Amino acid sequence: MSAVAAPSPLRNTPFVRADAWTLRLVAFCALALFGEIQWAGIVRPGATGDLLGLFVVAIVAGLVVAAALEIVARPRRIAAIAGVVLVALLLVLAVSGVPTWYLRPDRWDTLTVNLVNAVGTLPALRMPYRGTDPWVRAVLISGGGLLLLLAACLALAPRPRTFAAATCLAVLYVVAIVEHRPEHPYAGGAVFALLLGAMLWGDHLHGREAPAAVALGVVAVVASTILAPHLDSTKPWVDYEAIAESLQAGKSTTFSWNHSYAPLDWPRDGVELARVRSRGDLYMKTVNLEDFDGREWVQATGVLPDDDDTQIAPGHAGWTQIIHVEVKGLKSLPFVGAGTTLSIDHSSKHPIEATPGTWKSDDKPLKRGDGYDATVYYPNPGPVEMHGAGVRYPAYVYRQLGIKLPATPGYDDVRVQFAPYESGTSSVARGRYGFFQIDVDRALAASPYAREYRLAQQLADASIDPYDLVRKVIARVQRGARYTEQPPPPGRLAPLDAFLFRDHAGYCQHFAGATALLLRMAGVPTRVVGGFSPGSRDGGDHILRDLDAHSWIEVYFPHIGWVTFDPTPADSPARSQQTDTLAVKSASPTSKGSVSSSGDRTSDPTAGGTAATADGGGTDWTGLLAVAVVVLALVAGGVVLSIRRRRRLERTGDAELEELRLALVRSGRRTAPDLTLHKVERLLAGSDGALGYVSALRVARYGAGGPAPTPRQRRALRRELAAGLGLRGRLRALWALPPQSAEVLDALRPRRRRFYT
């Protein structure tokens, strides 16, 4: 029998509740977009554009995962899902701001370390995050992307987990509004509640129950919006910030920078304290130890912070630069700078000048997640420039020529102001209450530093200029001295006197303190500095660890400014230096007298193994990732449409017949209730392939059974549907009769060649 009685299998069967899936998809997208808008405010400036990109990635990945779940073979299904998830995760990181250089498989170890370090800083951060650490910002943004990705995979699955997906979106919204208070929290909560209800129950409402349910939901939301402000308290029910502080990953390290010269007995574990991006290797300063109190070098008191600190050398624009500092495991009121810090910008804490050239926070200390830019003047002159600098010192550096003497019989609370080098003036000693009638030579001879004063005068007489004097003093301090963490007790001697003339053993505090003392006595403005040596490199960043805390000196040269010298021997263990109770790192002065890391080991045990820069060679993955997104979108759209079409057709009981009817309708052929397969054969009689397709369907349904239409017959039918309609017709035919996987495999199968003679 070749005809189909009306009503036939080709009758105009309605679609099977595609509106429920569409409603769920629309509700999910609306709730996801609303949640991500809130999440974008978790950083400052906001990241709405990034979150929109993550939304696209999540939707596409969810559709592709849903398609992969339809694969029958389990190994292929698992492999497909794993591949999609991996690509989606990489896209989430790329859109979140992670440099694509780190997304290369050979860089995943460094990527993991940076992400873990950034995650470890999150509990101690204040939200919204205003810092500039790119890794912390990327982790915060990608957190929203991961929630979107998980929600999309759950909501768009063939068997959707709507409640679980809604939970993910609720977390996305709630965490965001907890971390940063929105401008209109109650209105936002009302919108969230309505969207959440639409996603959870919108596709279950039918007929008359829908208006009643919507009205009830609106009344409940409005009532809650009116009641909520009265329940809002000035004090939090749960102090989540205090809880976050207690859960902070890792321990913050606090430094006391004043000298003590005590033995070192603290454990050193290489904790990362900060990251600095700068031009060249800079010694990173936190404080100036300008006062010698008769025993130790300590931070100055009574110095006006807005006093002048340095001259800016003309013609050396490169000596001024902007460095970027990201605080990790350091907890510190002083800002980390270099040389003379001129200004602090884009800081998450409010900076004020501590002493000329240094800055501190006026409120709470810097800690994990804080970041800022510092404009610093860091001169790096050569020997010729320093030899020719002269001795015309500005008046504001004279305070760097004084020391306090310890109390001795007949001399109590005496402060000596030494005459500048080759100035022709005399040194002055002042006692308590401003008494000036004190003989400088006698006061120094009666002090524990008589030998230091005689040595300083001898070295000054043997020098031709201040730079030559600096070199001779450093050479004398280092002569015969050895580095040790356990210097002998000074006994009745002053610590620096015992170091110079008896023990010749100490660490960076001894070397820097003794050098500064001799130079001041010789009339050269000098100060001791506390901070960090340059540290190890990671791409373009310098990593400062607790191993790198250090003490060195700065010497003033007219028309140049403060120049860094490190008198600690270069062959001392880099991890065994300390300032006060903390380990420090050393380096020796170069022949130029400026900073040099020659002979100074990095705090990285690989000693430069991670020094590759992020912009050095390699493949540009940005374009590849963009192509991957486009390909994923196209594949997802095609696969999902094909699967949904097939599932809808299978519900009718006659999938092939219903598909043929839809193909005719979508290609512009008019159908009627009495259309039979026999009439379709006559309609398509002009094409043998298309005719074969319909004939195969008729025989399989009404005959004795037979094979299904072949891929070639299916392609022939598609060509017939597009015949005479140009490009538009071919596109319409593809939509009317989408290609099946069997067709693709058949087209790729190699054909057997035939040779003719």
Side-chain angles (χ1 to χ4, degrees):
M1 184 174 180
S2 61
V4 183
S8 73
L10 292 178
R11 66 189 182 279
N12 192 14
T13 305
F15 293 149
V16 180
R17 286 202 60 78
D19 56 333
W21 185 87
T22 303
L23 179 61
R24 185 170 66 249
L25 177 62
V26 172
F28 167 78
C29 291
L31 185 59
L33 286 171
F34 182 73
E36 77 172 17
I37 290 174
Q38 304 301 320
W39 189 275
I42 210 169
V43 295
R44 292 289 189 273
T48 305
D50 295 333
L51 268 297
L52 288 176
L54 293 177
F55 172 77
V56 174
V57 171
I59 295 297
V60 172
L63 294 174
V64 177
V65 168
L69 289 172
E70 298 286 346
I71 299 176
V72 177
R74 186 181 181 189
R76 293 173 57 191
R77 181 171 67 249
I78 294 176
I81 294 174
V84 172
V85 171
L86 177 61
V87 173
L89 290 176
L90 294 177
L91 290 174
V92 166
L93 293 175
V95 175
S96 300
V98 173
T100 54
W101 179 75
Y102 287 100
L103 302 182
R104 292 166 46 181
D106 59 332
R107 301 294 180 183
W108 285 356
D109 54 345
T110 306
L111 172 67
T112 303
V113 170
N114 288 328
L115 292 176
V116 170
N117 289 338
V119 171
T121 68
L122 296 184
L125 294 179
R126 287 191 176 274
M127 298 296 173
Y129 177 66
R130 291 180 171 84
T132 53
D133 188 335
W135 289 103
V136 172
R137 185 179 176 89
V139 165
L140 289 172
I141 296 174
S142 63
L146 293 178
L147 287 172
L148 284 173
L149 178 63
L150 179 59
C153 293
L154 292 170
L156 303 180
R159 295 181 179 179
R161 303 293 189 268
T162 306
F163 184 80
T167 301
C168 294
L169 297 182
V171 171
L172 182 75
Y173 171 76
V174 172
V175 170
I177 64 171
V178 167
E179 294 295 350
H180 74 93
R181 184 178 179 87
E183 295 182 3
H184 307 287
Y186 308 116
V191 174
F192 171 76
L194 292 174
L195 293 176
L196 183 64
M199 178 178 172
L200 290 175
W201 302 294
D203 58 341
H204 297 288
L205 301 179
H206 308 287
R208 297 180 179 179
E209 63 184 14
V214 171
L216 181 62
V218 171
V219 170
V221 169
V222 171
S224 300
T225 304
I226 297 174
L227 183 61
H230 300 284
L231 299 177
D232 192 13
S233 175
T234 57
K235 294 184 178 180
W237 293 358
V238 178
D239 192 349
Y240 63 89
E241 288 189 350
I243 297 175
E245 289 281 354
S246 65
L247 297 176
Q248 178 178 345
K251 182 186 292 185
S252 295
T253 304
T254 301
F255 287 75
S256 175
W257 296 105
N258 293 335
H259 283 188
S260 69
Y261 314 115
L264 309 183
D265 57 2
W266 75 291
R268 293 173 291 277
D269 49 15
V271 173
E272 182 179 346
L273 301 178
R275 287 191 174 229
V276 180
R277 177 153 296 186
S278 64
R279 295 196 311 267
D281 297 332
L282 309 183
Y283 275 51
M284 306 307 301
K285 179 196 298 187
T286 55
V287 296
N288 292 321
L289 307 181
E290 301 182 47
D291 284 356
F292 184 73
D293 66 0
R295 186 180 187 275
E296 304 162 353
W297 288 93
V298 297
Q299 298 180 55
T301 58
V303 179
L304 296 177
D306 57 351
D307 281 355
D308 292 329
D309 183 66
T310 187
Q311 296 167 296
I312 305 297
H316 291 283
W319 291 356
T320 301
Q321 61 172 294
I322 298 177
I323 65 174
H324 178 70
V325 180
E326 292 295 337
V327 180
K328 302 296 185 181
L330 178 66
K331 186 176 182 180
S332 172
L333 277 174
F335 282 80
V336 178
T340 297
T341 301
L342 305 176
S343 64
I344 300 291
D345 300 300
H346 309 112
S347 173
S348 45
K349 294 290 190 300
H350 183 256
I352 60 173
E353 288 188 90
T355 60
T358 65
W359 297 72
K360 66 178 181 180
S361 172
D362 72 339
D363 183 13
K364 297 181 179 179
L366 298 164
K367 58 184 179 180
R368 293 178 185 272
D370 288 326
Y372 56 90
D373 293 329
T375 303
V376 301
Y377 175 67
Y378 194 96
N380 187 24
V384 174
E385 291 175 282
M386 287 184 285
H387 276 302
V391 293
R392 299 185 63 180
Y393 298 107
Y396 52 80
V397 300
Y398 284 1
R399 69 174 184 271
Q400 316 290 353
L401 289 172
I403 66 170
K404 182 180 178 182
L405 297 178
T408 56
Y411 298 97
D412 184 21
D413 197 16
V414 175
R415 180 173 181 83
V416 178
Q417 184 75 21
F418 295 99
Y421 181 83
E422 293 185 348
S423 65
T425 60
S426 300
S427 301
V428 177
R430 183 177 59 187
R432 184 177 296 181
Y433 310 118
F435 182 65
F436 283 92
Q437 303 301 320
I438 299 175
D439 186 276
V440 174
D441 293 334
R442 288 185 179 182
L444 286 167
S447 75
Y449 301 105
R451 290 185 289 184
E452 281 77 8
Y453 181 62
R454 290 195 298 270
L455 176 59
Q457 297 305 306
Q458 293 171 4
L459 294 173
D461 292 340
S463 302
I464 60 175
D465 56 44
Y467 175 59
D468 187 42
L469 176 59
V470 171
R471 296 176 60 189
K472 283 182 169 60
V473 169
I474 291 177
R476 172 59 182 84
V477 170
Q478 292 182 346
R479 189 177 68 191
R482 62 185 176 88
Y483 172 86
T484 177
E485 295 181 354
Q486 304 295 325
R492 300 179 63 181
L493 298 178
L496 295 182
D497 184 65
F499 166 73
L500 271 175
F501 295 102
R502 188 192 70 186
D503 302 325
H504 307 291
Y507 49 93
C508 73
Q509 291 186 14
H510 296 82
F511 288 95
T515 303
L517 182 61
L518 291 174
L519 286 172
R520 282 201 180 184
M521 288 180 170
V524 176
T526 307
R527 63 190 181 194
V528 178
V529 178
F532 302 91
S533 55
S536 57
R537 281 185 174 271
D538 178 21
D541 295 338
H542 290 80
I543 302 176
L544 305 182
R545 305 183 188 276
D546 57 356
L547 310 168
D548 300 319
H550 192 30
S551 196
W552 64 95
I553 67 169
E554 290 180 343
V555 180
Y556 198 90
F557 290 88
H559 311 294
I560 295 176
W562 293 103
V563 179
T564 299
F565 291 84
D566 192 342
T568 307
D571 58 355
S572 61
R575 295 179 178 82
S576 302
Q577 309 297 326
Q578 189 188 21
T579 298
D580 201 8
T581 59
L582 299 170
V584 297
K585 182 182 170 188
S586 67
S588 63
T590 66
S591 59
K592 296 169 58 176
S594 55
V595 176
S596 170
S597 58
S598 108
D600 185 21
R601 289 181 248 170
T602 65
S603 62
D604 186 347
T606 60
T610 61
T613 58
D615 56 353
T619 305
D620 183 7
W621 290 79
T622 306
L624 295 179
L625 290 174
V627 172
V629 171
V630 175
V631 171
L632 276 176
L634 294 176
V635 172
V639 172
V640 170
L641 288 175
S642 177
I643 290 175
R644 290 193 57 78
R645 175 190 175 98
R646 191 69 183 176
R647 289 173 59 190
R648 185 173 67 249
L649 293 176
E650 287 174 351
R651 294 192 185 102
T652 65
D654 295 295
E656 288 81 4
L657 294 177
E658 177 64 11
E659 183 181 45
L660 177 59
R661 186 194 68 79
L662 287 176
L664 294 173
V665 172
R666 290 176 175 176
S667 62
R669 271 73 174 179
R670 300 186 60 177
T671 61
D674 61 345
L675 182 65
T676 63
L677 287 174
H678 182 69
K679 292 181 179 180
V680 173
E681 286 182 280
R682 287 189 296 171
L683 180 66
L684 301 175
S687 171
D688 293 339
L691 182 61
Y693 182 92
V694 180
S695 299
L697 286 182
R698 178 173 53 80
V699 172
R701 180 171 179 81
Y702 301 107
T710 65
R712 290 187 179 182
Q713 291 173 335
R714 187 180 178 87
R715 288 197 297 272
L717 176 60
R718 188 180 300 110
R719 286 195 298 271
E720 180 65 24
L721 295 176
L725 299 178
L727 177 60
R728 180 186 176 190
R730 288 192 291 273
L731 294 176
R732 191 168 183 177
L734 283 172
W735 175 62
L737 195 66
Q740 294 180 340
S741 58
E743 290 184 70
V744 177
L745 294 176
D746 180 73
L748 297 176
R749 186 178 297 115
R751 303 300 180 188
R752 185 176 180 181
R753 282 190 176 182
R754 296 184 179 181
F755 297 93
Y756 297 90
T757 58

